[in-house]
Amino acid sequence: MSQTPDITAAIDISKTGATISKNMYGQFLEHGGDIVNEGLWSEMLVDRKFFYPIETTAPTPPPAIGNAAGNPRFANIPKRWWSPVGGDSVVTMDNKAPYTGDQSPKVRLGGAEPHGIKQSGLVIRARKAYTGRIILAGTPGTVVRIALIWNDGAHGRQTITVHSLSRGYRTYALRYIADADSDNAVLEITGTGRGQFHVGAVSLMPADNVSGFRPEIIAVLRQLRFGVLRFPGGNFVSSYEWRDGVGSIDTRPPIFDPVWHALQPNDVGTDEFLTLCRLVGVDPYITVNAGFGDAWSARELVEYTNGAATTPMGRWRTQNGHPAPYNVKLWGIGNEPWGDYQMGAMALPQYELKHSLFAKEMKKIDPTITLIAGGAMPDVMEGADQARRINGQYVPDYLSSADWTGQLLLHCLPNIDMVSEHYYASGSVHTDMRLGKKVPIEPPLSSIELQRAAAVQVRAKYEHYERYLELIPALRAKPVPIAIDEWAYFLPGKRDSYSTVPAYAWAFHEMFRHSEIFQMANLTFATSTFSSNGAEAVLNPTGLLFKMYRDHFGVIPVEVSGNSPQPKPRFPAGGDQPAINPGSPTYPLDVSAALSVDRKTLAIAVLNPSDVEQSLHLDIHGAALASAGKLWRMAPNSIDATVKAGSPAEVKVEEQSLGTLPAVVTLRPYSVNIYSYPVQ
C-alpha cells in the first residue's frame, strides 16, 4: 500500500550549481587478463605469437608474484593453447632467431605425414566470414596447409594451401566462411615435405571487426556516450612498457603480465586504444607508468600521442600510420602509488619527488594537458590498510605521513590539476573505529542502507576534501577537482542484476550535489555495462542506468530541499564513514534535479531505494514548467532481474508521456525515475 504523500521535495530552479561534467559517466579499462583482449578485441586465437611452448598438455604459467601470489582470482591456467600435430617431438621452440618475443615454433617435417600445430575451442557461425594472416618461413618446397575445421569429415573444413615458403618470414592472408556453427572449431597448421617450417605469428578474426574491435561491443558502448575512457590501468600499468604496444602488431612481443598473472599479447596498445575512443565517441584518459616506469618514458608517450610529426616520437607515430597528433588532454601519473602491493612502490616523500618530475617532463611536451595525481584520502588508506603500515594508525590523521592525498596536495599542488580517488563499495562490511578493522555488518542492513553504501563513500570523500580546504590555504587559491577514476559497487552474487542499479543512481546524485568537486568518475570496468555471448551484446541493467542518466538528466544542478531529513549514520564517523549521511532531505527517497545546458529543460531524478511503494510531493520554485513532459523509469518486477545477450530482457527503461507534472508522484519499489519538463 502506498504511503501518504507527506514527503515533499522543493526544487528551486533559480539556485544552480557547477556544471556536471560528461566525464561523470566515464568508464575504465584495465589492460590485464581478458578484459580487453577477449572482452573487446576480436582476436579469436590465444597466444597467437607463441609465448608458451607447443605441448599436448596445458602450459604452466610463470610463478605468481606480488599481488597475484596465493590469490585464487589470479590462478590463470590457460583454458586454450597450441598443441602439436604429429606428436610432441615434432615441434620445438626457436629461441635463437624468433620472429618476435623470445621464441617461435619450429616444425620438423615428416615427408607425406602432416606435422604442425593446432588450437581448438574457436567459436564460429555458419555463413560468417573470418579473416586473418599467418607469418611463415621454412624450407623451400614445403607445403603448408592452414585449415579451419568445424566438424569431422571432408566437408567439415576449409583449407588454405601455401606452396611458396622461403627461409625468410613472409605474411600470407587467410579467409574462411564456415558451413556450420561450432563452439569448438579448430585452426590447424600443418606441413608436408622435407626439412622444417617456422610460424612467426597467426591471427584470425571475424571479418566484420571494426579496426580489430568487436562490432557489437562498439555498438553498445556508443549508446552510452560516456564522455571519457581511462586506460591502460589500474595496477597493470605499473609494470607496463608502452613501447611494446606500438608498431607492427605482429612483431610486438608477447609478455607475461606479473600483475594480473596473465599472458599479454600487446595487440591493443596506444594507437588501438585511441582508435577505440574515436569509434565510441569519447575522450581518452591515459595513465602513465609511475611504478617501474620513469619520467623520460612518460614524456616520450606524451610526445608520441601529442607531438608534431617532426618530433622523434611523432615521426614514429607517423611511421605507424597515424600522422596527425591525437591531442590527448587527460593524463594520470601512476596508479594507486600509495599501495605496497604496487609494482615499484616507494615511500611517499620519494614519490612526491617522482610525481613532480613526471609532471614537469610531461608538460614540457604539452603544457595544455591535465595531470591527475594518484591520491588516497583517509578512507582509502584505511580501507586498504596502508596507513597502519606507514605510521601505525588505522585511519590516518589529516596531513599526517599516511595521508597520501593530503601530503600530495600540500607538497605537489603546482604539479596537480586533478586528484585521483578510488573506491569499491559494499553493503556487507563497515569500518569499526574501535577495533581498527573492517567487520561484517550485523544485523543485515535494510534495503535502503544497502543501496546507500555507494553514495556513503562519495560523501566521505567530500567531507575529507572540505577538511583539506581548511588545512591547506593554497588549495583554496587553486582548487583541485576529484576524479574518482575507479569505482564500483558490489553485492555478492548479484553483480549483473538490477540489485546494484539504485546504488549507482544514489552515488550519481551525491556526486552531482557536489559537482564543483567531483568532475570525473570512471566505472570499473566498461565491460561491466553490457552482456555478451560472443555473437551479440546488449546493455545490462548498469549500462541501461548510465545511458538513461546521460540521455535524460540535466547538466546544471539545481537546489533540492525537503521536509524529511536523512537519518544519522549508523556507524561512527571516520575513514570511509561520513559524519552526515548522503541524500536529499526526502527520506527514504533521494532526489536530484538539473537543467539542460540551455536551461530550457528541467530533469528531476527520484530514487526509491526501499522495498515498498512510496509517494512524493513535488514543489517547483523559480520558474514554471510546461503542461506536458516525459517520464523515464527503471522499475523491474524483481530486484534480481537482469539482461543477458540472447535472452528476453528482464529490465528495460520505460518511457511515458505525461501531462502537467503531478503534484504527487508514486514510485515503485527500487525504482529510478527521471521526470523531464520544458521550462517556460
Side-chain angles (χ1 to χ4, degrees), residues 73-249:
R73 177 185 177 194
F74 298 102
N76 200 326
I77 304 301
K79 300 179 180 64
R80 294 195 289 130
W81 60 90
W82 294 101
S83 58
V85 176
D88 286 333
S89 64
V90 305
V91 185
T92 56
M93 303 305 291
D94 175 13
N95 54 23
K96 294 182 178 179
Y99 181 76
T100 188
D102 294 331
Q103 58 186 14
S104 297
K106 177 174 65 176
V107 179
R108 177 176 53 81
L109 297 173
E113 180 184 358
H115 286 179
I117 62 176
K118 65 179 181 180
Q119 185 174 130
S120 60
L122 280 63
V123 176
I124 62 173
R125 293 294 177 259
R127 296 176 298 281
K128 187 167 184 176
Y130 299 90
T131 59
R133 60 198 174 278
I134 187 168
I135 299 168
L136 297 168
T139 305
T142 299
V143 177
V144 175
R145 294 175 176 84
I146 309 100
L148 181 63
I149 306 167
W150 50 87
N151 58 43
D152 295 334
H155 301 293
R157 65 174 60 203
Q158 279 188 3
T159 302
I160 294 170
T161 304
V162 175
H163 297 275
S164 55
L165 258 60
S166 63
R167 298 195 183 278
Y169 281 105
R170 294 175 57 184
T171 302
Y172 303 88
L174 303 176
R175 181 176 176 84
Y176 304 95
I177 298 179
D179 284 344
D181 294 349
S182 175
D183 290 345
N184 193 31
V186 177
L187 187 73
E188 184 180 80
I189 305 163
T190 58
T192 54
R194 297 295 177 186
Q196 61 192 21
F197 74 94
H198 302 243
V199 187
V202 59
S203 175
L204 190 67
M205 293 184 176
D208 62 355
N209 73 83
V210 181
S211 299
F213 292 96
R214 295 172 54 187
E216 70 276 13
I217 304 300
I218 297 298
V220 295
L221 290 179
R222 283 189 64 85
Q223 295 178 51
L224 294 175
R225 300 188 303 118
F226 48 87
V228 63
L229 181 60
R230 177 178 178 239
F231 173 94
N235 295 342
F236 169 85
V237 75
S238 293
S239 63
Y240 178 54
E241 172 50 69
W242 71 267
R243 282 162 289 223
D244 284 345
V246 297
S248 169
I249 197 168

Side-chain angles (χ1 to χ4, degrees), residues 395-417:
V395 176
D397 293 333
Y398 291 111
L399 304 189
S400 69
S401 60
D403 179 5
W404 197 279
T405 291
Q407 289 288 313
L408 281 176
L409 293 175
L410 193 63
H411 297 135
C412 305
L413 188 59
N415 295 313
I416 298 175
D417 300 314

Side-chain angles (χ1 to χ4, degrees), residues 137-393:
T139 305
T142 299
V143 177
V144 175
R145 294 175 176 84
I146 309 100
L148 181 63
I149 306 167
W150 50 87
N151 58 43
D152 295 334
H155 301 293
R157 65 174 60 203
Q158 279 188 3
T159 302
I160 294 170
T161 304
V162 175
H163 297 275
S164 55
L165 258 60
S166 63
R167 298 195 183 278
Y169 281 105
R170 294 175 57 184
T171 302
Y172 303 88
L174 303 176
R175 181 176 176 84
Y176 304 95
I177 298 179
D179 284 344
D181 294 349
S182 175
D183 290 345
N184 193 31
V186 177
L187 187 73
E188 184 180 80
I189 305 163
T190 58
T192 54
R194 297 295 177 186
Q196 61 192 21
F197 74 94
H198 302 243
V199 187
V202 59
S203 175
L204 190 67
M205 293 184 176
D208 62 355
N209 73 83
V210 181
S211 299
F213 292 96
R214 295 172 54 187
E216 70 276 13
I217 304 300
I218 297 298
V220 295
L221 290 179
R222 283 189 64 85
Q223 295 178 51
L224 294 175
R225 300 188 303 118
F226 48 87
V228 63
L229 181 60
R230 177 178 178 239
F231 173 94
N235 295 342
F236 169 85
V237 75
S238 293
S239 63
Y240 178 54
E241 172 50 69
W242 71 267
R243 282 162 289 223
D244 284 345
V246 297
S248 169
I249 197 168
D250 290 324
T251 58
R252 299 176 194 174
I255 56 123
F256 200 83
D257 166 28
V259 174
W260 282 80
H261 197 235
L263 178 63
Q264 174 54 252
N266 280 318
D267 284 352
V268 178
T270 300
D271 292 306
E272 288 75 24
F273 165 64
L274 294 169
T275 296
L276 174 63
C277 290
R278 175 181 56 79
L279 291 172
V280 299
V282 299
D283 295 334
Y285 166 15
I286 295 177
T287 306
V288 299
N289 179 353
F292 286 163
D294 58 87
W296 184 262
S297 295
R299 171 184 168 142
E300 287 203 324
L301 179 53
V302 175
E303 186 175 272
Y304 183 88
T305 62
N306 293 4
T310 54
T311 63
M313 292 294 101
R315 281 195 294 273
W316 191 17
R317 183 191 66 238
T318 300
Q319 292 167 6
N320 292 335
H322 306 278
Y326 291 110
N327 294 319
V328 178
K329 295 304 180 188
L330 295 168
W331 292 85
I333 299 179
N335 175 80
E336 297 182 3
W338 39 268
D340 61 352
Y341 52 83
Q342 202 68 226
M343 297 292 175
M346 61 178 59
L348 176 55
Q350 294 175 336
Y351 187 77
E352 289 170 353
L353 295 173
K354 188 171 191 177
H355 170 90
S356 293
L357 179 60
F358 269 62
K360 291 173 182 177
E361 290 299 316
M362 293 167 73
K363 285 210 170 183
K364 282 179 184 177
I365 298 298
D366 187 347
T368 70
I369 61 178
T370 296
L371 293 179
I372 302 169
M377 292 177 176
D379 60 299
V380 176
M381 296 302 287
E382 161 252 309
D385 204 21
Q386 295 296 303
R388 195 178 344 244
R389 170 181 63 85
I390 295 172
N391 70 357
Q393 292 180 301

